[in-house]
Amino acid sequence: MELNWQEMLFQFFGGLGIFLFGIKYMGDGLQKSAGERLKEILDKFTTNPFMGVLAGIFVTVLIQSSSGTTVIVVGLVSAGFMTLRQAIGVIMGANIGTTVTAFIIGIDIGEYALPIIAVGTIMLFFFKNKKVHNIGQMIFGFGALFYGLELMGGGMKPLRSLEAFHDLTVSMSTNPILGVVIGTLFTVIVQSSSATIGILQELYSSDLVDIQAALPILFGDNIGTTITAVLAALGASVAARRAAAVHVLFNLIGSTIFLIILPFFTKFVLFLQSSFNLNEPMTIAFAHGSFNITNTIIQFPFIALLAVIVTKLIPGQDSLVDYNSKHLDPMFIEQSPSIALGQAKEEVLRMGKFAVKGLEETNEFLKSKSSKNAEAAYQIEGAINNLDKKITNYLVDLSSASLSENESERHSILMDTVRDIERVGDHFENIVELIEYQQTNKVKITDDAMNDLEIMFSLTIETVEKALKSLDLNDTDIAREVAEKEDQIDKMERKLRKQHILRMNEGKCSGQAGIVFVDIVSNLERIGDHAVNIAEAVLGVE
């Protein structure tokens, strides 16, 4: 019988597209139903590696993608939310969590795929309730996943009569490394281990591959899924590259161990199949689950060693912004509110140093146009936002403790200062976005305007530094200097606006350049206002 290659390819790739869409759509629905707090879950529940594993499983089940979880982890490590050791636990958990998709596929309900899609569609289009929409999205994605699998299965069935394919499966049975390579390459191309394992389940259920060929492909699928994290880490911080390297190393070590014990693992999988009367797709799901759970159990005690290995493999100094607070011990709130107040002040000053650093990075970005400076500024702004929440919550808890009149005043000053520093972060983020707009739209700012901005930036940074120093030392003389400098910033802002109008009138400067220039100047002037707020609090001025 002659094969209809066009029909086969159309069915397979169309089915693959629907399958991938189904997984993504179902994951999005689950994520929305869970409240889209994935980063918070990973931040709060990774206090130790074991909790990290559980958080990794939970988040991966929600988004239906171990690659997605690992990319989030890479971002969190890069930003400083998470240490490398915490990340390793989450990555291990993500590998277990991703097996849920294979178990879902193992429930053989492909013939009901279209009615399931219909139910999802009704919920999406005929109900206005957001919760019903999210559930409809999950159901629609669930049905699309099975419909895509059915199409792929139909496209692959004619391969049974193809001798070259038969020879390839025989080669994979006798040469497991070939199976690992094929599984790895295919997952690298598709960038979804769930998809390639789904295809493997279809191949096995259609008798296109035997269990001896299927298991090495399964190991390769787990190696190939690391490519997404590797791509996400390219150009990222050293810590992010190390997190991606851990993902690769974890799956490589696991695959190597299981290749060595492949005959025993094959017997174990066949034992599970016969004992529980599993169908073919569910057999692969159990094999996938057993591989990832056992791999995690084997490597879990060596998390510290894995961290050391990747640190040696990827040397370099991390330029991380540490998002987490360092001085906010809740124990002091009950035992010694005055010490707690001092701790809060130290954290506020640390937050202020971030604000100064963010301004410096923004100024560098204006001059260099290097994305490295922009990325650093965005990370610092994220750290400021995080500290804003943590310090504010700490101070709110502290307000219920017994504070003297003087301590209550200091408490109020700190509350106001936190808000002002957070606003400084917002303003320098605005400036970064303006510079990016300038780059994207090729807006030319004149040399005179650039020199003016440099002078104003230096004055603003100095003013913020002095405001923080006045708070640190409770020095009213320095606070008065801040008020004087803020006055200079106000005068400079008015002067620069006039000069800009002159340049516009003389045709030296475009309208777009004017918008960017005036908005940067305006943001700097607002930063000056927030600096003087801090100083006025020290002076006791309302």
Side-chain angles (χ1 to χ4, degrees):
M1 185 183 77
E2 195 176 332
L3 295 179
N4 186 338
W5 284 100
Q6 180 179 305
E7 188 183 335
M8 278 173 58
L9 290 170
F10 281 11
Q11 248 190 296
F12 176 77
F13 286 110
L16 178 61
I18 294 168
F19 177 85
L20 289 171
F21 174 78
I23 289 178
K24 176 79 171 63
Y25 208 59
M26 183 171 72
D28 287 347
L30 281 163
Q31 188 176 329
K32 285 174 189 171
S33 299
E36 296 182 291
R37 292 166 60 114
L38 302 181
K39 287 193 179 182
E40 283 185 37
I41 291 165
L42 290 174
D43 183 30
K44 285 182 184 174
F45 302 105
T46 55
T47 46
N48 60 59
F50 179 71
M51 288 300 292
V53 171
L54 296 180
I57 294 170
F58 180 69
V59 171
T60 307
V61 168
L62 281 186
I63 63 174
Q64 290 292 298
S65 168
S66 62
S67 299
T69 305
T70 312
V71 167
I72 293 171
V73 168
V74 166
L76 291 173
V77 171
S78 179
F81 261 122
M82 191 181 283
T83 65
L84 184 61
R85 288 190 187 191
Q86 286 174 313
I88 294 171
V90 178
I91 288 164
M92 288 177 171
N95 278 270
I96 296 171
T98 195
T99 61
V100 170
T101 312
F103 281 102
I104 290 168
I105 293 165
I107 305 161
D108 189 15
I109 54 170
E111 61 193 279
Y112 303 108
L114 289 172
I116 292 168
I117 289 172
V119 171
T121 305
I122 290 165
M123 293 175 82
L124 280 168
F125 286 95
F126 297 100
F127 291 88
K128 297 199 184 226
N129 185 291
K130 198 173 180 184
K131 201 170 183 181
V132 175
H133 259 237
N134 293 337
I135 295 166
Q137 189 171 338
M138 284 158 47
I139 293 170
F140 185 92
F142 186 68
L145 182 154
F146 281 103
Y147 185 59
L149 267 175
E150 288 285 302
L151 286 175
M152 283 194 288
M156 289 185 294
K157 268 175 188 154
L159 290 173
R160 228 178 307 195
S161 60
L162 194 67
E163 196 160 335
F165 186 81
H166 182 260
D167 292 343
L168 178 64
T169 56
V170 170
S171 301
M172 284 190 288
S173 300
T174 54
N175 184 2
I177 292 169
L178 177 63
V180 172
V181 170
I182 287 170
T184 303
L185 289 175
F186 194 49
T187 310
V188 164
I189 293 164
V190 178
Q191 287 197 36
S192 168
S193 61
S194 297
T196 48
I197 287 162
I199 292 165
L200 183 62
Q201 287 171 296
E202 281 295 320
L203 286 168
Y204 184 51
S205 64
S206 304
D207 289 330
L208 288 166
V209 293
D210 59 17
I211 196 71
Q212 280 79 15
L215 293 179
I217 295 170
L218 178 72
F219 305 153
D221 290 343
N222 280 275
I223 296 169
T225 195
T226 62
I227 188 65
T228 313
V230 171
L231 292 172
L234 291 177
S237 69
V238 172
R241 295 204 299 275
R242 285 173 183 162
V246 163
H247 195 202
V248 176
L249 197 64
F250 174 73
N251 283 298
L252 274 174
I253 291 169
S255 297
T256 305
I257 292 167
F258 275 80
L259 275 174
I260 292 165
I261 61 163
L262 184 59
F264 303 103
F265 186 57
T266 306
K267 284 178 185 172
F268 171 71
V269 172
L270 290 171
F271 166 75
L272 288 176
Q273 187 178 31
S274 59
S275 299
F276 296 104
N277 196 24
L278 302 174
N279 62 22
E280 287 83 357
M282 196 58 89
T283 303
I284 297 297
F286 268 82
H288 190 209
S290 304
F291 168 78
N292 281 301
I293 292 167
T294 310
N295 190 20
T296 298
I297 292 167
I298 291 167
Q299 295 193 56
F300 186 80
F302 303 103
I303 282 178
L305 181 61
L306 283 170
V308 170
I309 290 168
V310 293
T311 304
K312 294 280 184 192
L313 286 172
I314 303 171
Q317 190 64 39
D318 266 333
S319 56
L320 283 187
V321 176
D322 190 353
Y323 275 53
N324 298 308
S325 57
K326 292 191 172 179
H327 304 97
L328 305 179
D329 192 336
M331 183 181 70
F332 288 125
I333 294 174
E334 288 181 18
Q335 294 186 356
S336 177
S338 60
I339 292 177
L341 199 59
Q343 294 288 95
K345 182 181 172 181
E346 287 302 312
E347 202 62 52
V348 170
L349 290 168
R350 182 167 165 261
M351 183 181 172
K353 284 176 185 170
F354 276 140
V356 172
K357 179 68 178 161
L359 277 167
E360 288 169 347
E361 290 289 352
T362 305
N363 191 19
E364 280 303 309
F365 182 44
L366 178 65
K367 292 185 285 187
S368 69
K369 302 294 187 286
S370 168
S371 58
K372 189 173 115 183
N373 299 120
E375 187 60 39
Y378 281 129
Q379 280 191 21
I380 292 165
E381 207 275 329
I384 289 170
N385 286 342
N386 192 55
L387 287 175
D388 169 39
K389 287 179 200 163
K390 292 191 173 177
I391 297 168
T392 301
N393 290 339
Y394 190 79
L395 288 169
V396 167
D397 292 342
L398 184 56
S399 65
S400 60
S402 54
L403 298 171
S404 67
E405 192 178 333
N406 182 40
E407 285 170 344
S408 290
E409 268 184 47
R410 284 163 54 205
H411 178 276
S412 181
I413 287 169
L414 290 179
M415 284 289 277
D416 291 338
T417 302
V418 167
R419 195 163 52 248
D420 281 308
I421 294 170
E422 193 276 329
R423 292 298 295 137
V424 169
D426 290 343
H427 285 301
F428 74 63
E429 184 184 34
N430 290 345
I431 296 171
V432 171
E433 287 169 358
L434 286 164
I435 299 164
E436 286 177 333
Y437 170 84
Q438 180 203 344
Q439 276 186 296
T440 307
N441 294 280
K442 296 183 172 57
V443 176
K444 178 81 174 83
I445 293 178
T446 64
D447 292 340
D448 287 345
M450 286 296 288
N451 290 335
D452 289 339
L453 288 175
E454 175 62 27
I455 295 163
M456 192 167 179
F457 248 112
S458 299
L459 182 59
T460 306
I461 292 167
E462 189 186 349
T463 307
V464 174
E465 283 176 326
K466 280 192 180 291
L468 293 167
K469 193 175 180 183
S470 72
L471 175 71
D472 185 17
L473 304 174
N474 199 29
D475 191 316
T476 53
D477 290 336
I478 298 172
R480 287 188 190 95
E481 283 182 47
V482 173
E484 289 167 14
K485 288 197 173 291
E486 197 273 334
D487 193 41
Q488 288 177 39
I489 291 172
D490 285 349
K491 286 174 183 172
M492 186 176 284
E493 191 238 2
R494 288 193 291 272
K495 179 185 162 192
L496 295 187
R497 279 178 183 272
K498 286 175 186 173
Q499 288 179 347
H500 154 67
I501 291 165
L502 285 171
R503 280 194 296 269
M504 287 266 289
N505 291 338
E506 290 168 8
K508 292 180 181 176
C509 169
S510 69
Q512 272 187 314
I515 291 165
V516 173
F517 178 82
V518 169
D519 282 358
I520 291 174
V521 168
S522 178
N523 276 284
L524 289 172
E525 187 271 331
R526 294 302 303 278
I527 290 167
D529 289 344
H530 291 293
V532 89
N533 287 349
I534 297 167
E536 283 178 352
V538 174
L539 289 167
V541 177
E542 285 299 316

